[in-house]
């Protein structure tokens, strides 16, 4: 009986710690996204299928952006989101969004 109570207590403590970690991670991700000029709400809508996937919006560019501007922004985001430099867990999702956006633009503009 005493062991069950102790186990429940540890589960609650670990649950609180996990919630705090998730909150911290969300704050860190939000700060990273803001520093990169990525709209978190728009990106979440795209991820959930609530809004259309707009590759230019993911990269933080206007549709009228030139080829060199697109490539420059893509490379800058890759450097900042790389796991070795980002310093924030969970950037893999953002990195995949950036890669997908760049591939869509690349296909649209018929780059080699």
């Amino acid at each position: 009986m005493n062991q069950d109570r102790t186990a429940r207590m540890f589960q609650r403590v670990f649950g609180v710690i996990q919630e705090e970690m998730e909150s911290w991670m969300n704050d860190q991700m939000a700060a990273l996204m803001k520093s990169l000029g990525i709209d978190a709400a728009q990106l979440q809508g795209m991820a959930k299928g609530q809004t259309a996937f707009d590759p230019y919006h993911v990269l933080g560019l206007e549709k009228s952006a030139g080829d060199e501007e697109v490539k420059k922004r893509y490379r800058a985001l890759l450097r900042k989101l790389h796991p070795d430099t980002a310093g924030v867990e969970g950037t893999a999702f953002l990195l995949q969004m950036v890669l997908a956006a760049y591939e869509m633009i690349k296909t649209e503009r018929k780059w080699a």
Side-chain angles (χ1 to χ4, degrees):
M1 178 92 169
N2 210 5
Q3 288 179 341
D4 289 340
R5 185 175 173 190
T6 303
R8 285 194 310 271
M9 182 183 71
F10 279 122
Q11 284 178 334
R12 276 188 253 136
V13 169
F14 289 133
V16 169
I17 291 171
Q18 184 177 4
E19 287 175 19
E20 288 296 319
M21 290 291 290
E22 288 173 3
S23 173
W24 178 81
M25 295 296 267
N26 289 337
D27 293 344
Q28 292 289 97
M29 286 297 288
L32 175 65
M33 290 171 71
K34 185 176 181 179
S35 75
L36 296 174
I38 298 172
D39 181 4
Q42 180 73 18
L43 200 60
Q44 286 175 340
M46 286 183 221
K48 293 178 182 176
Q50 296 168 342
T51 59
F53 185 83
D54 181 0
Y56 294 96
H57 194 83
V58 171
L59 296 179
L61 297 169
E62 297 292 324
K63 289 188 184 216
S64 60
D67 293 351
E68 287 304 312
E69 188 178 356
V70 171
K71 291 176 184 179
K72 183 179 177 181
R73 177 70 174 154
Y74 168 70
R75 289 183 191 120
L77 287 172
L78 282 184
R79 278 192 303 275
K80 290 182 179 182
L81 290 173
H82 191 277
D84 293 339
T85 58
V88 178
E89 293 289 325
T91 57
F93 169 72
L94 285 176
L95 187 61
Q96 292 302 316
M97 293 287 278
V98 168
L99 292 171
Y102 183 72
E103 285 301 316
M104 285 180 75
I105 293 171
K106 186 175 164 182
T107 301
E108 174 188 300
R109 295 184 181 197
K110 297 178 179 37
W111 294 337

